[in-house]
Amino acid sequence: MTGPTGPGETTSVLDDAKAQQQAAMAVSAPAFVPACPGAGKTHVITSRHLQSPRRLLRQGRALISFTRVARDQMIRRCRQAGRADLVQAPHFIGTLDSFLWEFLVKPRRAAEPVPRLLESWAGIKATVEGVDREVSLYRFPMTLYPSQSPAREAVAWDKLDYDTRQLIEASTYSQQAWEDKILATRKSWCQQGYFTGHEARVLALWNLHNAEAATGLLGPLRSRFAEVIVDEAQDCSAADLAILRLLHDAGLPLVLVGDPDQAIYAWRGAEPQALGAFAAQLSPTPHRLTGNWRSSPVICHLASTLRTGQRPPDTSVVRDDDIPALLLPTQFAASGSRHLHAPTGTGIVDAFRALAEEYAVPAENCLVTAYKYATLPGITRERPNTNTITSLAWARTVAHTPSASGDDLARACAIAVRVLFGYWYPGETGGPDRIMAAHRLSAGQVNRTAFAFLHSLPPPHKEWGPQVWQAMKAWPALPGAAPQGGKGRPAGKPTLSRPQPATGMRTNIVHQIKGDEADGVLLLLPDAGSVQRWATADAATDEVLRVWYVAVTRARRLAAIALPEDETDALARLLTERQVPVRVV
């Protein structure tokens, strides 16, 4: 078993982990730093940045992440260290989308109309035009083929959600006709100055392949940045890697930090093998971080059974918990999420709560996760392609949910803004940002109004629409509002989801908890054959194993797995053979 077991060994483990981090902070670009879960990547990246001298620099460093949470964490650490200068030019700390937009796209765009980068087309009311079904543009994911010049793109028909697929199949328009209309609708919004991260990548690739454009962009980039660090590099899509290769080939020093074992975004084009090939070009000898500052030795050992390459478990640096991996025989509901703990007949979450308390792990420090939303208890999610009144009902529910995530609250607020703006400014085109700019409305003012409106609404019910309409008419309007009769009135009846009982624990799918952690984690594995997959599949090619790997490595002290009762003993034998302490309960 790995991890600290005595005073001398603890010191050695701690020293080794710190030495790895110091080496990663000092490695020269270009470089690749593979980092295990809990390795302190953000600490390493920020500490590397904090080593910058305290003087006016001609060149800076770009720290690029995939999430605003990671971006904000790096900015906060710089400020807490008294280095506010490190978050200002010539430095850059931001997401990959914002980096591509600011340095590879926006400089080549016309000043009018003002170019805007959206998180997704869901940020504006963009409906596909000229077809016989009303479907929002953001329901159609796009595929980009960066190896072709110019980069070719197409609708990713195989990635449509079920409801969108049903609407398209019921349409009298062919799939090709739909694709033509989708691209035409998107082009019209781009001509108005609206773009998403996908379009930013298309334009960045085009600019880098165009000699004149590339010259105008790469010179300032090389002049400004002595180094570009990309965090969570395993999340890079094929297009992202193609752009980074072009920047590397142009002489921009790159440092990629990531964990190929945590690559769980194949649906958007992330491939561990592609990252490995590019990383080998950057540095033949990677600088590994194998010290896990988060998880216990048992969890490190459990995680090692889910990854490729038969590598030894990562080293638990600061924990000595010896809680075994818990296996919970479960009777999974065929539909819904009322899963029962087979030995006791109680709900599986209640059984996990009792076991966590037995090991002094409080429920508020626990996390319940699964591959699919449908498997999870106590979670209400936004349904795709719903009418406005149903979306508003979901948003109202979120506004009244104390445990709602920041992302859900932001989406709920955006829905309320679109509904209110549709009533207050019926004749104005463009997204909410354009309307806000036209009437000099601040984002804070608009969001406070939208959230207060949501919170004031009564609970949704089948005849909820008229109450919403009365509330909209009575609500104090923002400056410049000019309602026109019944324009903007949400029509129809809301489709109500059956309320789920609260679990008392954080609950979300694995893809949404990446970057999170908890003292205790329960992973639900309802599908038959999971043990066979665990035993024989290769994580290098099987993303499901990598999803499970991400799930169990969120745990600090306690990892529990619920699986069909007829497979529990088989998993217990498998883990025992691989020297993982197990308790079937």
Side-chain angles (χ1 to χ4, degrees):
M1 184 62 60
T2 60
T5 59
E9 186 175 345
T10 299
T11 302
S12 175
V13 166
L14 190 62
D15 289 345
D16 288 347
K18 288 183 176 179
Q20 286 184 345
Q21 290 186 334
Q22 290 293 334
M25 293 175 201
V27 64
S28 298
F32 175 52
V33 180
C36 74
K41 291 189 289 76
T42 304
H43 166 74
V44 168
I45 292 170
T46 310
S47 296
R48 183 182 178 98
H49 193 38
L50 288 169
Q51 293 173 355
S52 303
R54 289 180 179 269
R55 64 174 184 270
L56 187 63
L57 300 174
R58 180 176 178 273
Q59 284 189 300
R61 177 183 284 111
L63 307 185
I64 299 174
S65 66
F66 276 84
T67 67
R68 288 175 295 179
V69 172
R71 174 202 64 189
D72 293 345
Q73 188 177 7
M74 289 188 285
I75 291 174
R76 185 169 58 252
R77 290 192 181 188
C78 288
R79 293 190 185 279
Q80 288 172 344
R83 298 297 307 275
D85 58 302
L86 295 180
V87 304
Q88 301 166 357
H91 306 291
F92 172 87
I93 302 179
T95 63
L96 181 59
D97 279 8
S98 62
F99 179 84
L100 299 180
W101 178 253
E102 290 296 330
F103 300 109
L104 296 179
V105 176
K106 193 175 177 181
R108 302 288 300 180
R109 306 307 303 169
E112 293 293 338
V114 177
R116 310 269 183 172
L117 179 64
L118 305 172
E119 286 194 20
S120 84
W121 291 115
I124 58 177
K125 191 176 181 180
T127 303
V128 179
E129 300 171 354
V131 285
D132 57 355
R133 296 290 186 274
E134 184 174 329
V135 188
S136 297
L137 186 60
Y138 80 95
R139 295 298 177 189
F140 296 96
M142 303 294 293
T143 296
L144 183 61
Y145 301 92
S147 59
Q148 302 180 19
S149 184
R152 185 173 70 84
E153 53 178 337
V155 175
W157 295 105
D158 59 326
K159 294 182 173 64
L160 294 188
D161 61 69
Y162 175 80
D163 293 315
T164 306
R165 195 161 56 248
Q166 292 292 102
L167 286 169
I168 301 304
E169 289 175 356
S171 171
T172 58
Y173 284 75
S174 67
Q175 190 176 94
Q176 184 58 54
W178 267 95
E179 181 153 330
D180 293 342
K181 298 295 185 182
I182 290 165
L183 294 176
T185 299
R186 191 189 63 168
K187 182 179 180 180
S188 70
W189 281 103
C190 290
Q191 289 171 340
Q192 297 177 56
Y194 290 100
F195 304 87
T196 72
H198 174 83
E199 288 74 41
R201 284 159 174 78
V202 173
L203 292 170
L205 282 167
W206 190 92
N207 287 338
L208 290 174
H209 281 297
N210 179 280
E212 179 185 351
T215 300
L217 293 170
L218 292 173
L221 265 180
R222 285 191 297 259
S223 176
R224 176 166 175 173
F225 296 118
E227 181 175 277
V228 174
I229 302 178
V230 181
D231 189 17
E232 301 289 2
Q234 76 278 353
D235 293 341
C236 287
S237 66
D240 298 335
L241 291 178
I243 292 169
L244 292 175
R245 278 195 187 92
L246 290 168
L247 295 179
H248 169 67
D249 292 344
L252 201 65
L254 298 180
V255 177
L256 303 189
V257 184
D259 182 5
D261 293 315
Q262 294 186 68
I264 60 172
Y265 294 106
W267 57 272
R268 69 183 187 199
E271 297 179 359
Q273 297 92 334
L275 172 62
F278 182 40
Q281 295 178 21
L282 295 179
S283 57
T285 305
H287 298 265
R288 293 189 177 276
L289 298 177
T290 60
N292 187 323
W293 298 72
R294 175 193 301 152
S295 301
S296 72
V298 172
I299 295 167
C300 288
H301 214 110
L302 172 66
S304 71
T305 68
L306 282 166
R307 66 188 183 191
T308 190
Q310 301 296 312
R311 301 197 312 277
D314 299 317
T315 302
S316 178
V317 179
V318 296
R319 296 196 177 278
D320 58 5
D321 302 80
D322 58 358
I323 303 173
L326 304 183
L327 304 186
L328 283 63
T330 304
Q331 295 172 352
F332 286 95
S335 61
S337 53
R338 181 59 181 169
H339 313 309
L340 300 179
H341 181 228
T344 64
T346 60
I348 192 62
V349 174
D350 293 331
F352 175 59
R353 181 185 292 107
L355 288 164
E357 290 174 355
E358 181 181 328
Y359 290 105
V361 178
E364 59 268 24
N365 291 337
C366 288
L367 181 62
V368 181
T369 190
Y371 187 81
K372 299 176 181 177
Y373 278 111
T375 306
L376 289 171
I379 189 166
T380 302
R381 66 187 181 102
E382 186 181 8
R383 294 285 297 168
N385 296 311
T386 55
N387 57 23
T388 299
I389 198 70
T390 296
S391 292
L392 194 64
W394 174 85
R396 190 270 178 198
T397 300
V398 168
H400 282 264
T401 302
S403 60
S405 69
D407 286 344
D408 278 351
L409 287 170
R411 285 198 295 272
C413 222
I415 289 170
V417 169
R418 290 199 299 272
V419 171
L420 290 172
F421 276 20
Y423 170 57
W424 285 337
Y425 309 102
E428 301 191 33
T429 59
D433 57 338
R434 291 272 170 84
I435 295 174
M436 288 161 58
H439 297 281
R440 298 183 179 179
L441 304 173
S442 71
Q445 177 187 19
V446 169
N447 288 331
R448 284 192 298 270
T449 299
F451 188 79
F453 170 73
L454 276 181
H455 212 269
S456 74
L457 295 175
H461 54 87
K462 288 187 177 180
E463 303 302 326
W464 192 53
Q467 289 181 292
V468 170
W469 178 235
Q470 292 304 317
M472 289 173 64
K473 292 193 293 183
W475 198 258
L478 290 172
Q484 297 177 13
K487 288 188 176 181
R489 177 176 182 171
K493 298 181 178 182
T495 301
L496 304 177
S497 300
R498 184 164 50 187
Q500 299 275 9
T503 66
M505 303 179 183
R506 285 180 291 142
T507 306
N508 217 328
I509 59 170
V510 179
H511 289 83
Q512 295 298 323
I513 64 167
K514 193 165 176 288
D516 200 353
E517 59 183 66
D519 282 348
V521 171
L522 171 63
L523 171 62
L524 304 177
L525 299 182
D527 297 330
S530 293
V531 176
Q532 179 69 13
R533 188 172 210 150
W534 196 312
T536 61
D538 183 359
T541 55
D542 190 336
E543 188 183 60
V544 173
L545 289 187
R546 301 197 295 271
V547 170
W548 297 350
Y549 177 81
V550 167
V552 299
T553 56
R554 301 310 93 195
R556 290 188 284 257
R557 300 180 54 217
L558 168 65
I561 299 164
L563 68 165
E565 54 183 326
D566 60 351
E567 296 201 12
T568 309
D569 289 342
L571 183 56
R573 287 192 299 270
L574 171 67
L575 295 179
T576 300
E577 290 170 0
R578 300 187 183 182
Q579 288 75 54
V580 180
V582 172
R583 179 187 172 194
V584 178
V585 59

